[in-house]
Amino acid sequence: MRSRDERGSALVELTWLGILLLVPLLWIVLSVFEVQRGAFGVSAAARSAGRAFALAPDDTTGRTRAEAAARLALADQGVTEAPVEVAVTCTPYPTDCHSGTSVITIQVRSRVVLPLLPDLFGGGRPSFRLDASHTVPIGQYVEVTAR
Amino acid sequence: MTRRRGHRGEPGQASLLIVGLAFVLVLMTAVVVDASAAFLQRQGLDTVADGAALAGADAGARGEEAYTEGVDEERLRLWADSARTGVADYLARSGAHERYPGLTVEVAVDPTGRRVVVRVRAPLDLPFTVPGSPNRPVIGAEGAAVVAPRR
Protein backbone atom coordinates (compact mmCIF):
# COMPACT_ATOMS: atom_id res chain seq x y z
CA MET A 1 0.00 0.00 0.00
CA ARG A 2 2.69 2.46 0.98
CA SER A 3 4.73 2.05 -2.10
CA ARG A 4 1.61 2.69 -4.15
CA ASP A 5 0.84 5.94 -2.32
CA GLU A 6 4.26 7.31 -3.01
CA ARG A 7 3.99 6.89 -6.71
CA GLY A 8 3.91 10.30 -8.40
CA SER A 9 5.01 12.17 -5.31
CA ALA A 10 8.31 13.07 -6.95
CA LEU A 11 6.42 14.83 -9.70
CA VAL A 12 4.36 16.78 -7.16
CA GLU A 13 7.46 17.74 -5.24
CA LEU A 14 9.18 18.78 -8.41
CA THR A 15 6.28 20.95 -9.46
CA TRP A 16 5.71 22.66 -6.14
CA LEU A 17 9.31 23.19 -5.25
CA GLY A 18 9.95 24.34 -8.76
CA ILE A 19 7.19 26.91 -8.59
CA LEU A 20 7.92 28.07 -5.06
CA LEU A 21 11.68 28.22 -5.32
CA LEU A 22 12.90 28.45 -8.86
CA VAL A 23 10.36 30.88 -10.31
CA PRO A 24 10.96 33.65 -7.71
CA LEU A 25 14.68 33.00 -8.00
CA LEU A 26 14.50 33.39 -11.75
CA TRP A 27 12.61 36.65 -11.31
CA ILE A 28 15.26 37.95 -8.93
CA VAL A 29 18.01 37.03 -11.37
CA LEU A 30 16.21 38.73 -14.25
CA SER A 31 15.55 41.88 -12.20
CA VAL A 32 19.11 42.11 -10.94
CA PHE A 33 20.47 41.83 -14.46
CA GLU A 34 17.99 44.37 -15.77
CA VAL A 35 19.02 46.89 -13.10
CA GLN A 36 22.69 46.22 -13.68
CA ARG A 37 22.33 46.69 -17.38
CA GLY A 38 20.71 50.05 -16.67
CA ALA A 39 23.48 50.98 -14.24
CA PHE A 40 26.18 50.20 -16.82
CA GLY A 41 24.27 52.19 -19.40
CA VAL A 42 23.71 55.23 -17.18
CA SER A 43 27.32 55.38 -16.07
CA ALA A 44 28.56 55.14 -19.66
CA ALA A 45 25.94 57.70 -20.71
CA ALA A 46 27.16 60.27 -18.16
CA ARG A 47 30.71 59.93 -19.38
CA SER A 48 29.94 60.23 -23.07
CA ALA A 49 27.40 63.00 -22.53
CA GLY A 50 30.04 64.95 -20.59
CA ARG A 51 32.59 64.56 -23.37
CA ALA A 52 30.06 65.42 -26.06
CA PHE A 53 28.94 68.55 -24.22
CA ALA A 54 32.47 69.78 -23.54
CA LEU A 55 33.60 69.22 -27.14
CA ALA A 56 30.59 70.98 -28.71
CA PRO A 57 31.13 74.56 -29.91
CA ASP A 58 28.38 76.11 -27.76
CA ASP A 59 25.82 75.31 -25.06
CA THR A 60 22.79 74.73 -27.29
CA THR A 61 24.61 72.33 -29.60
CA GLY A 62 26.21 70.79 -26.53
CA ARG A 63 22.86 70.01 -24.95
CA THR A 64 21.57 68.32 -28.11
CA ARG A 65 24.76 66.34 -28.54
CA ALA A 66 24.89 65.36 -24.86
CA GLU A 67 21.36 63.96 -25.02
CA ALA A 68 22.11 62.11 -28.24
CA ALA A 69 25.30 60.67 -26.73
CA ALA A 70 23.49 59.60 -23.56
CA ARG A 71 20.75 57.88 -25.56
CA LEU A 72 23.32 56.15 -27.72
CA ALA A 73 25.26 54.89 -24.71
CA LEU A 74 22.05 53.54 -23.15
CA ALA A 75 20.94 51.97 -26.43
CA ASP A 76 24.33 50.25 -26.50
CA GLN A 77 23.26 48.38 -23.39
CA GLY A 78 19.87 47.63 -24.87
CA VAL A 79 18.03 50.23 -22.79
CA THR A 80 15.91 51.99 -25.39
CA GLU A 81 12.49 52.61 -23.83
CA ALA A 82 13.63 54.00 -20.49
CA PRO A 83 13.23 57.76 -19.94
CA VAL A 84 16.54 59.62 -20.00
CA GLU A 85 17.07 62.95 -18.30
CA VAL A 86 20.28 64.87 -18.93
CA ALA A 87 20.92 67.78 -16.58
CA VAL A 88 23.82 70.17 -17.13
CA THR A 89 25.12 72.51 -14.42
CA CYS A 90 28.13 74.75 -14.67
CA THR A 91 30.28 76.69 -12.25
CA PRO A 92 31.17 79.55 -12.05
CA TYR A 93 29.13 80.68 -15.11
CA PRO A 94 25.75 78.90 -14.95
CA THR A 95 24.52 80.46 -18.19
CA ASP A 96 27.69 80.09 -20.29
CA CYS A 97 29.16 76.62 -19.87
CA HIS A 98 31.73 76.88 -22.65
CA SER A 99 33.39 79.95 -21.22
CA GLY A 100 37.02 79.54 -20.09
CA THR A 101 37.71 78.07 -16.59
CA SER A 102 34.16 76.72 -16.45
CA VAL A 103 33.53 73.32 -14.86
CA ILE A 104 30.63 71.32 -16.30
CA THR A 105 28.74 68.69 -14.34
CA ILE A 106 26.49 66.35 -16.30
CA GLN A 107 23.95 64.27 -14.46
CA VAL A 108 22.09 61.49 -16.26
CA ARG A 109 18.98 60.02 -14.66
CA SER A 110 16.98 57.07 -15.86
CA ARG A 111 14.59 54.43 -14.65
CA VAL A 112 14.54 50.70 -15.15
CA VAL A 113 11.16 48.97 -15.03
CA LEU A 114 11.38 45.62 -13.25
CA PRO A 115 10.46 42.80 -15.61
CA LEU A 116 7.31 40.64 -15.57
CA LEU A 117 5.49 42.74 -12.99
CA PRO A 118 2.26 44.21 -14.33
CA ASP A 119 0.13 46.81 -12.52
CA LEU A 120 -0.84 44.20 -9.98
CA PHE A 121 -0.51 46.27 -6.87
CA GLY A 122 -1.55 49.63 -8.28
CA GLY A 123 0.55 52.78 -8.31
CA GLY A 124 2.24 51.99 -11.60
CA ARG A 125 4.83 49.37 -12.43
CA PRO A 126 7.64 49.05 -9.94
CA SER A 127 10.86 50.59 -11.20
CA PHE A 128 14.38 51.25 -10.10
CA ARG A 129 15.86 54.74 -10.32
CA LEU A 130 19.42 55.14 -11.59
CA ASP A 131 21.70 58.12 -11.91
CA ALA A 132 25.31 58.92 -12.67
CA SER A 133 27.32 62.08 -13.07
CA HIS A 134 30.51 63.27 -14.71
CA THR A 135 32.44 66.50 -14.19
CA VAL A 136 34.49 67.99 -17.04
CA PRO A 137 36.64 71.12 -16.88
CA ILE A 138 36.68 73.39 -19.94
CA GLY A 139 40.18 74.72 -19.30
CA GLN A 140 41.95 77.95 -18.51
CA TYR A 141 43.25 78.59 -22.04
CA VAL A 142 39.80 79.17 -23.48
CA GLU A 143 38.32 82.60 -23.89
CA VAL A 144 36.10 83.73 -21.01
CA THR A 145 32.97 84.78 -22.85
CA ALA A 146 30.60 85.04 -19.89
CA ARG A 147 29.78 88.47 -18.57
CA MET B 1 11.97 -6.14 0.80
CA THR B 2 14.63 -4.74 -1.40
CA ARG B 3 12.04 -3.06 -3.56
CA ARG B 4 10.51 -1.46 -0.51
CA ARG B 5 13.81 -0.06 0.67
CA GLY B 6 14.40 1.42 -2.74
CA HIS B 7 11.05 3.16 -2.60
CA ARG B 8 11.70 4.50 0.85
CA GLY B 9 14.83 6.27 -0.32
CA GLU B 10 13.10 7.92 -3.23
CA PRO B 11 10.95 10.66 -1.76
CA GLY B 12 13.14 13.66 -1.16
CA GLN B 13 15.45 12.93 -4.05
CA ALA B 14 13.71 15.37 -6.32
CA SER B 15 13.51 18.06 -3.65
CA LEU B 16 17.18 17.58 -2.90
CA LEU B 17 17.92 18.03 -6.56
CA ILE B 18 15.87 21.21 -6.79
CA VAL B 19 17.19 22.72 -3.58
CA GLY B 20 20.73 21.92 -4.72
CA LEU B 21 20.07 23.50 -8.08
CA ALA B 22 18.59 26.59 -6.44
CA PHE B 23 21.62 26.85 -4.18
CA VAL B 24 23.99 26.69 -7.13
CA LEU B 25 21.88 29.29 -8.93
CA VAL B 26 21.99 31.64 -5.92
CA LEU B 27 25.75 31.21 -5.67
CA MET B 28 26.22 31.92 -9.36
CA THR B 29 24.01 34.99 -9.16
CA ALA B 30 26.03 36.27 -6.20
CA VAL B 31 29.27 35.85 -8.17
CA VAL B 32 27.84 37.69 -11.17
CA VAL B 33 26.45 40.50 -8.99
CA ASP B 34 29.83 40.88 -7.28
CA ALA B 35 31.64 40.91 -10.60
CA SER B 36 29.37 43.54 -12.06
CA ALA B 37 29.61 45.65 -8.89
CA ALA B 38 33.38 45.58 -9.37
CA PHE B 39 32.99 46.44 -13.06
CA LEU B 40 30.61 49.31 -12.24
CA GLN B 41 33.06 50.69 -9.70
CA ARG B 42 35.82 50.51 -12.30
CA GLN B 43 33.66 52.31 -14.82
CA GLY B 44 32.94 55.03 -12.25
CA LEU B 45 36.60 55.32 -11.27
CA ASP B 46 37.53 55.49 -14.96
CA THR B 47 35.27 58.51 -15.27
CA VAL B 48 36.81 60.06 -12.16
CA ALA B 49 40.35 59.41 -13.44
CA ASP B 50 39.47 60.89 -16.83
CA GLY B 51 38.05 64.10 -15.39
CA ALA B 52 40.89 64.36 -12.86
CA ALA B 53 43.50 63.95 -15.61
CA LEU B 54 41.84 66.69 -17.68
CA ALA B 55 41.70 68.99 -14.65
CA GLY B 56 45.30 68.11 -13.72
CA ALA B 57 46.60 68.76 -17.23
CA ASP B 58 44.77 72.07 -17.37
CA ALA B 59 46.07 73.21 -13.97
CA GLY B 60 49.56 71.86 -14.68
CA ALA B 61 50.00 73.89 -17.86
CA ARG B 62 51.33 77.11 -16.36
CA GLY B 63 52.67 78.37 -19.65
CA GLU B 64 55.98 79.47 -18.09
CA GLU B 65 57.95 77.89 -20.92
CA ALA B 66 56.74 80.70 -23.13
CA TYR B 67 59.40 82.93 -21.50
CA THR B 68 62.30 80.47 -21.58
CA GLU B 69 62.13 77.91 -24.37
CA GLY B 70 59.07 78.89 -26.35
CA VAL B 71 55.74 77.11 -26.62
CA ASP B 72 55.82 73.63 -28.13
CA GLU B 73 53.66 73.26 -31.23
CA GLU B 74 51.91 70.10 -30.08
CA ARG B 75 51.99 69.82 -26.29
CA LEU B 76 52.26 72.37 -23.51
CA ARG B 77 54.72 71.70 -20.68
CA LEU B 78 53.10 70.50 -17.45
CA TRP B 79 54.25 71.16 -13.88
CA ALA B 80 53.70 68.26 -11.50
CA ASP B 81 52.92 70.30 -8.38
CA SER B 82 50.30 72.40 -10.13
CA ALA B 83 48.82 69.27 -11.74
CA ARG B 84 48.57 67.66 -8.29
CA THR B 85 46.76 70.72 -6.91
CA GLY B 86 44.40 70.67 -9.89
CA VAL B 87 43.58 66.99 -9.41
CA ALA B 88 42.99 67.39 -5.66
CA ASP B 89 40.77 70.38 -6.34
CA TYR B 90 38.79 68.42 -8.95
CA LEU B 91 38.28 65.41 -6.67
CA ALA B 92 37.09 67.64 -3.84
CA ARG B 93 34.74 69.58 -6.09
CA SER B 94 33.20 66.60 -7.90
CA GLY B 95 32.48 64.79 -4.63
CA ALA B 96 34.56 61.74 -5.60
CA HIS B 97 35.73 61.16 -2.02
CA GLU B 98 32.14 60.84 -0.82
CA ARG B 99 31.18 58.51 -3.65
CA TYR B 100 34.25 56.30 -3.25
CA PRO B 101 35.30 56.25 0.42
CA GLY B 102 38.97 55.47 0.89
CA LEU B 103 39.89 56.86 -2.54
CA THR B 104 43.62 57.29 -3.07
CA VAL B 105 45.12 59.16 -5.97
CA GLU B 106 48.53 59.18 -7.59
CA VAL B 107 49.48 61.94 -10.01
CA ALA B 108 52.53 61.64 -12.22
CA VAL B 109 53.85 63.80 -15.04
CA ASP B 110 55.83 62.14 -17.85
CA PRO B 111 59.62 62.64 -17.81
CA THR B 112 59.13 64.77 -20.91
CA GLY B 113 56.74 66.91 -18.89
CA ARG B 114 53.99 66.86 -21.51
CA ARG B 115 51.52 64.28 -20.24
CA VAL B 116 49.82 63.84 -16.88
CA VAL B 117 48.76 60.39 -15.67
CA VAL B 118 46.25 60.01 -12.84
CA ARG B 119 45.80 56.67 -11.08
CA VAL B 120 42.89 56.31 -8.66
CA ARG B 121 42.23 53.37 -6.38
CA ALA B 122 39.31 52.72 -4.07
CA PRO B 123 38.27 49.75 -1.94
CA LEU B 124 35.01 48.05 -2.84
CA ASP B 125 32.43 46.55 -0.52
CA LEU B 126 31.21 43.46 -2.35
CA PRO B 127 27.42 43.07 -2.10
CA PHE B 128 27.72 39.32 -1.43
CA THR B 129 30.41 37.24 0.19
CA VAL B 130 31.04 34.14 -1.88
CA PRO B 131 33.53 31.53 -0.71
CA GLY B 132 36.78 32.33 -2.43
CA SER B 133 36.01 36.00 -3.07
CA PRO B 134 38.68 38.52 -2.05
CA ASN B 135 38.39 39.94 1.45
CA ARG B 136 39.03 43.57 0.70
CA PRO B 137 39.12 44.12 -3.03
CA VAL B 138 40.61 47.35 -4.34
CA ILE B 139 39.62 48.68 -7.75
CA GLY B 140 41.90 50.96 -9.71
CA ALA B 141 41.61 53.07 -12.84
CA GLU B 142 43.90 55.27 -14.86
CA GLY B 143 43.41 58.39 -16.91
CA ALA B 144 45.88 60.49 -18.89
CA ALA B 145 45.66 63.90 -20.52
CA VAL B 146 47.74 66.39 -22.45
CA VAL B 147 47.19 70.05 -23.35
CA ALA B 148 47.37 70.70 -27.07
CA PRO B 149 47.48 74.34 -28.16
CA ARG B 150 45.11 75.24 -30.99
CA ARG B 151 45.89 77.87 -33.53
Side-chain angles (χ1 to χ4, degrees):
Chain A
M1 276 302 269
R2 254 184 81 193
S3 65
R4 214 168 163 212
D5 283 347
E6 272 166 18
R7 213 174 278 166
S9 71
L11 194 70
V12 175
E13 269 173 40
L14 200 81
T15 315
W16 281 109
L17 262 181
I19 290 173
L20 288 179
L21 205 65
L22 290 184
V23 169
L25 203 61
L26 193 71
W27 182 79
I28 290 173
V29 170
L30 280 180
S31 306
V32 163
F33 290 165
E34 196 75 13
V35 170
Q36 242 146 22
R37 190 162 68 145
F40 287 156
V42 167
S43 128
R47 187 187 164 107
S48 27
R51 299 286 292 161
F53 188 90
L55 292 175
D58 55 75
D59 289 6
T60 330
T61 329
R63 248 167 251 271
T64 336
R65 285 193 194 167
E67 277 199 21
R71 266 175 217 289
L72 200 65
L74 278 167
D76 233 18
Q77 296 289 338
V79 185
T80 43
E81 284 126 51
V84 189
E85 220 180 284
V86 181
V88 183
T89 46
C90 309
T91 51
Y93 314 111
T95 50
D96 193 351
C97 293
H98 282 81
S99 180
T101 71
S102 172
V103 176
I104 304 162
T105 302
I106 303 260
Q107 188 152 40
V108 175
R109 284 190 209 91
S110 184
R111 241 166 358 112
V112 169
V113 177
L114 296 183
L116 305 173
L117 271 191
D119 296 312
L120 264 183
F121 312 109
R125 295 181 67 184
S127 61
F128 204 90
R129 222 174 296 161
L130 298 162
D131 69 304
S133 70
H134 185 32
T135 307
V136 201
I138 278 292
Q140 53 178 332
Y141 293 114
V142 178
E143 187 189 353
V144 178
T145 50
R147 258 164 270 139
Chain B
M1 219 33 204
T2 34
R3 256 181 78 193
R4 268 230 169 140
R5 206 177 289 154
H7 270 278
R8 212 191 275 160
E10 242 173 49
Q13 286 291 339
S15 14
L16 199 72
L17 198 76
I18 290 202
V19 170
L21 198 72
F23 181 72
V24 169
L25 202 62
V26 166
L27 217 62
M28 275 164 65
T29 314
V31 169
V32 172
V33 167
D34 276 356
S36 38
F39 184 79
L40 256 178
Q41 168 129 335
R42 214 195 73 164
Q43 213 174 21
L45 284 176
D46 254 345
T47 313
V48 169
D50 254 16
L54 280 174
D58 183 52
R62 286 197 229 147
E64 281 175 20
E65 77 268 35
Y67 307 108
T68 53
E69 57 194 75
V71 175
D72 189 86
E73 288 210 0
E74 288 179 356
R75 306 269 185 265
L76 293 190
R77 180 170 278 286
L78 304 175
W79 275 261
D81 50 340
S82 304
R84 233 160 255 140
T85 318
V87 168
D89 190 38
Y90 172 86
L91 292 179
R93 193 155 33 171
S94 64
H97 288 290
E98 288 84 64
R99 235 180 311 149
Y100 303 103
L103 182 84
T104 54
V105 62
E106 203 181 294
V107 183
V109 171
D110 263 16
T112 51
R114 310 282 168 185
R115 181 167 165 266
V116 65
V117 180
V118 176
R119 284 186 195 89
V120 285
R121 291 160 73 78
L124 166 70
D125 279 325
L126 288 176
F128 294 108
T129 315
V130 183
S133 65
N135 249 346
R136 195 101 180 101
V138 176
I139 312 285
E142 192 180 301
V146 296
V147 183
R150 252 187 306 183
R151 41 189 83 223

CSV table of all heavy atoms in Angstrom, one decimal, chain A residues 55-87:
chain,number,residue,atom,x,y,z
A,55,LEU,N,33.0,69.1,-25.8
A,55,LEU,CA,33.6,69.2,-27.1
A,55,LEU,C,32.7,70.0,-28.1
A,55,LEU,O,33.2,70.4,-29.2
A,55,LEU,CB,33.9,67.8,-27.7
A,55,LEU,CG,35.0,67.1,-27.0
A,55,LEU,CD1,35.2,65.7,-27.5
A,55,LEU,CD2,36.4,67.9,-27.0
A,56,ALA,N,31.5,70.2,-27.8
A,56,ALA,CA,30.6,71.0,-28.7
A,56,ALA,C,31.0,72.5,-28.7
A,56,ALA,O,31.6,72.9,-27.8
A,56,ALA,CB,29.1,70.8,-28.3
A,57,PRO,N,30.7,73.2,-29.8
A,57,PRO,CA,31.1,74.6,-29.9
A,57,PRO,C,30.4,75.5,-29.0
A,57,PRO,O,30.9,76.5,-28.5
A,57,PRO,CB,30.9,74.9,-31.4
A,57,PRO,CG,29.9,73.9,-31.9
A,57,PRO,CD,30.1,72.7,-31.1
A,58,ASP,N,29.1,75.2,-28.7
A,58,ASP,CA,28.4,76.1,-27.8
A,58,ASP,C,27.4,75.3,-26.9
A,58,ASP,O,27.2,74.1,-27.2
A,58,ASP,CB,27.7,77.2,-28.5
A,58,ASP,CG,26.7,76.7,-29.6
A,58,ASP,OD1,25.7,76.2,-29.2
A,58,ASP,OD2,27.1,76.7,-30.8
A,59,ASP,N,26.7,76.0,-26.0
A,59,ASP,CA,25.8,75.3,-25.1
A,59,ASP,C,24.6,74.6,-25.7
A,59,ASP,O,24.3,73.5,-25.3
A,59,ASP,CB,25.3,76.3,-24.0
A,59,ASP,CG,26.4,76.7,-23.1
A,59,ASP,OD1,27.6,76.3,-23.3
A,59,ASP,OD2,26.1,77.4,-22.1
A,60,THR,N,24.0,75.3,-26.7
A,60,THR,CA,22.8,74.7,-27.3
A,60,THR,C,23.1,73.4,-28.1
A,60,THR,O,22.5,72.4,-27.9
A,60,THR,CB,22.1,75.8,-28.3
A,60,THR,OG1,22.4,77.1,-27.8
A,60,THR,CG2,20.7,75.5,-28.4
A,61,THR,N,24.2,73.5,-28.9
A,61,THR,CA,24.6,72.3,-29.6
A,61,THR,C,25.0,71.3,-28.6
A,61,THR,O,24.7,70.1,-28.8
A,61,THR,CB,25.8,72.6,-30.5
A,61,THR,OG1,25.7,74.0,-30.9
A,61,THR,CG2,25.9,71.7,-31.7
A,62,GLY,N,25.7,71.7,-27.6
A,62,GLY,CA,26.2,70.8,-26.5
A,62,GLY,C,25.1,70.0,-25.9
A,62,GLY,O,25.2,68.8,-25.7
A,63,ARG,N,24.0,70.7,-25.6
A,63,ARG,CA,22.9,70.0,-24.9
A,63,ARG,C,22.3,68.9,-25.9
A,63,ARG,O,22.0,67.8,-25.4
A,63,ARG,CB,21.8,71.0,-24.6
A,63,ARG,CG,21.6,71.2,-23.1
A,63,ARG,CD,20.8,72.4,-22.8
A,63,ARG,NE,21.6,73.5,-22.3
A,63,ARG,CZ,21.8,73.6,-21.0
A,63,ARG,NH1,21.4,72.8,-20.1
A,63,ARG,NH2,22.6,74.6,-20.5
A,64,THR,N,22.1,69.3,-27.2
A,64,THR,CA,21.6,68.3,-28.1
A,64,THR,C,22.5,67.1,-28.2
A,64,THR,O,22.1,66.0,-28.2
A,64,THR,CB,21.4,69.0,-29.5
A,64,THR,OG1,21.3,70.4,-29.3
A,64,THR,CG2,20.3,68.4,-30.3
A,65,ARG,N,23.8,67.4,-28.4
A,65,ARG,CA,24.8,66.3,-28.5
A,65,ARG,C,24.9,65.5,-27.3
A,65,ARG,O,25.0,64.3,-27.4
A,65,ARG,CB,26.1,66.9,-28.9
A,65,ARG,CG,26.2,67.4,-30.3
A,65,ARG,CD,27.6,67.7,-30.7
A,65,ARG,NE,27.7,68.5,-31.9
A,65,ARG,CZ,28.8,69.1,-32.3
A,65,ARG,NH1,29.9,69.0,-31.6
A,65,ARG,NH2,28.8,69.7,-33.4
A,66,ALA,N,24.8,66.1,-26.1
A,66,ALA,CA,24.9,65.4,-24.9
A,66,ALA,C,23.7,64.4,-24.7
A,66,ALA,O,23.9,63.2,-24.4
A,66,ALA,CB,24.9,66.3,-23.7
A,67,GLU,N,22.5,64.9,-25.1
A,67,GLU,CA,21.4,64.0,-25.0
A,67,GLU,C,21.5,62.8,-26.0
A,67,GLU,O,21.2,61.7,-25.7
A,67,GLU,CB,20.1,64.8,-25.3
A,67,GLU,CG,19.6,65.4,-24.0
A,67,GLU,CD,18.2,65.8,-24.0
A,67,GLU,OE1,17.4,65.3,-24.8
A,67,GLU,OE2,17.9,66.7,-23.2
A,68,ALA,N,21.9,63.2,-27.2
A,68,ALA,CA,22.1,62.1,-28.2
A,68,ALA,C,23.1,61.1,-27.8
A,68,ALA,O,22.9,59.9,-27.9
A,68,ALA,CB,22.5,62.7,-29.6
A,69,ALA,N,24.2,61.6,-27.2
A,69,ALA,CA,25.3,60.7,-26.7
A,69,ALA,C,24.8,59.8,-25.6
A,69,ALA,O,25.1,58.6,-25.5
A,69,ALA,CB,26.5,61.5,-26.3
A,70,ALA,N,24.0,60.4,-24.7
A,70,ALA,CA,23.5,59.6,-23.6
A,70,ALA,C,22.6,58.5,-24.1
A,70,ALA,O,22.6,57.4,-23.6
A,70,ALA,CB,22.8,60.5,-22.6
A,71,ARG,N,21.7,58.9,-25.0
A,71,ARG,CA,20.8,57.9,-25.6
A,71,ARG,C,21.5,56.8,-26.3
A,71,ARG,O,21.1,55.6,-26.2
A,71,ARG,CB,19.8,58.6,-26.5
A,71,ARG,CG,18.5,59.0,-25.8
A,71,ARG,CD,17.6,59.7,-26.7
A,71,ARG,NE,16.9,60.7,-26.0
A,71,ARG,CZ,16.0,60.5,-25.1
A,71,ARG,NH1,15.6,59.3,-24.8
A,71,ARG,NH2,15.4,61.5,-24.4
A,72,LEU,N,22.5,57.1,-27.0
A,72,LEU,CA,23.3,56.2,-27.7
A,72,LEU,C,24.0,55.2,-26.8
A,72,LEU,O,24.0,54.0,-27.0
A,72,LEU,CB,24.4,56.9,-28.6
A,72,LEU,CG,25.0,56.1,-29.7
A,72,LEU,CD1,23.9,55.8,-30.8
A,72,LEU,CD2,26.1,56.8,-30.4
A,73,ALA,N,24.6,55.7,-25.7
A,73,ALA,CA,25.3,54.9,-24.7
A,73,ALA,C,24.3,53.9,-24.0
A,73,ALA,O,24.6,52.8,-23.8
A,73,ALA,CB,25.9,55.8,-23.7
A,74,LEU,N,23.1,54.4,-23.8
A,74,LEU,CA,22.1,53.5,-23.2
A,74,LEU,C,21.6,52.5,-24.1
A,74,LEU,O,21.3,51.3,-23.8
A,74,LEU,CB,20.9,54.4,-22.6
A,74,LEU,CG,21.1,55.0,-21.3
A,74,LEU,CD1,20.1,56.1,-21.0
A,74,LEU,CD2,21.1,54.0,-20.2
A,75,ALA,N,21.4,52.9,-25.4
A,75,ALA,CA,20.9,52.0,-26.4
A,75,ALA,C,22.0,50.9,-26.6
A,75,ALA,O,21.6,49.7,-27.0
A,75,ALA,CB,20.7,52.7,-27.7
A,76,ASP,N,23.2,51.2,-26.4
A,76,ASP,CA,24.3,50.3,-26.5
A,76,ASP,C,24.1,49.1,-25.5
A,76,ASP,O,24.5,48.0,-25.8
A,76,ASP,CB,25.6,51.0,-26.1
A,76,ASP,CG,26.7,50.8,-27.2
A,76,ASP,OD1,26.3,50.4,-28.3
A,76,ASP,OD2,27.9,51.0,-26.9
A,77,GLN,N,23.5,49.4,-24.4
A,77,GLN,CA,23.3,48.4,-23.4
A,77,GLN,C,21.9,47.8,-23.6
A,77,GLN,O,21.4,47.0,-22.7
A,77,GLN,CB,23.4,49.0,-22.0
A,77,GLN,CG,24.8,49.5,-21.6
A,77,GLN,CD,25.7,48.3,-21.4
A,77,GLN,OE1,25.3,47.2,-21.1
A,77,GLN,NE2,27.0,48.6,-21.5
A,78,GLY,N,21.2,48.2,-24.6
A,78,GLY,CA,19.9,47.6,-24.9
A,78,GLY,C,18.8,48.3,-24.1
A,78,GLY,O,17.6,47.8,-24.1
A,79,VAL,N,19.1,49.5,-23.5
A,79,VAL,CA,18.0,50.2,-22.8
A,79,VAL,C,17.5,51.3,-23.7
A,79,VAL,O,18.1,52.3,-23.9
A,79,VAL,CB,18.6,50.9,-21.5
A,79,VAL,CG1,17.5,51.6,-20.7
A,79,VAL,CG2,19.3,49.9,-20.7
A,80,THR,N,16.4,51.0,-24.4
A,80,THR,CA,15.9,52.0,-25.4
A,80,THR,C,14.6,52.7,-25.0
A,80,THR,O,14.4,53.8,-25.3
A,80,THR,CB,15.7,51.3,-26.7
A,80,THR,OG1,15.0,50.0,-26.5
A,80,THR,CG2,17.0,51.0,-27.5
A,81,GLU,N,13.8,52.0,-24.2
A,81,GLU,CA,12.5,52.6,-23.8
A,81,GLU,C,12.5,53.4,-22.6
A,81,GLU,O,11.6,54.2,-22.3
A,81,GLU,CB,11.4,51.5,-23.7
A,81,GLU,CG,10.9,51.0,-25.0
A,81,GLU,CD,11.1,49.5,-25.0
A,81,GLU,OE1,10.6,48.8,-24.0
A,81,GLU,OE2,11.6,48.9,-25.9
A,82,ALA,N,13.6,53.3,-21.8
A,82,ALA,CA,13.6,54.0,-20.5
A,82,ALA,C,13.7,55.5,-20.7
A,82,ALA,O,14.4,56.0,-21.7
A,82,ALA,CB,14.8,53.5,-19.7
A,83,PRO,N,13.1,56.3,-19.8
A,83,PRO,CA,13.2,57.8,-19.9
A,83,PRO,C,14.6,58.2,-19.5
A,83,PRO,O,15.2,57.6,-18.6
A,83,PRO,CB,12.2,58.3,-18.9
A,83,PRO,CG,12.0,57.2,-18.0
A,83,PRO,CD,12.3,55.9,-18.7
A,84,VAL,N,15.2,59.1,-20.3
A,84,VAL,CA,16.5,59.6,-20.0
A,84,VAL,C,16.5,61.1,-19.7
A,84,VAL,O,15.8,61.9,-20.5
A,84,VAL,CB,17.5,59.4,-21.2
A,84,VAL,CG1,18.9,59.7,-20.8
A,84,VAL,CG2,17.4,58.0,-21.7
A,85,GLU,N,17.1,61.5,-18.7
A,85,GLU,CA,17.1,63.0,-18.3
A,85,GLU,C,18.5,63.4,-18.2
A,85,GLU,O,19.3,62.8,-17.4
A,85,GLU,CB,16.4,63.1,-16.9
A,85,GLU,CG,15.5,64.3,-16.8
A,85,GLU,CD,14.9,64.3,-15.4
A,85,GLU,OE1,14.0,63.5,-15.1
A,85,GLU,OE2,15.4,65.0,-14.6
A,86,VAL,N,18.9,64.4,-19.0
A,86,VAL,CA,20.3,64.9,-18.9
A,86,VAL,C,20.3,66.3,-18.4
A,86,VAL,O,19.7,67.2,-19.0
A,86,VAL,CB,20.9,64.9,-20.3
A,86,VAL,CG1,22.4,65.3,-20.3
A,86,VAL,CG2,20.9,63.5,-20.9
A,87,ALA,N,20.9,66.5,-17.2
A,87,ALA,CA,20.9,67.8,-16.6
A,87,ALA,C,22.3,68.3,-16.6
A,87,ALA,O,23.3,67.6,-16.3
A,87,ALA,CB,20.4,67.7,-15.2
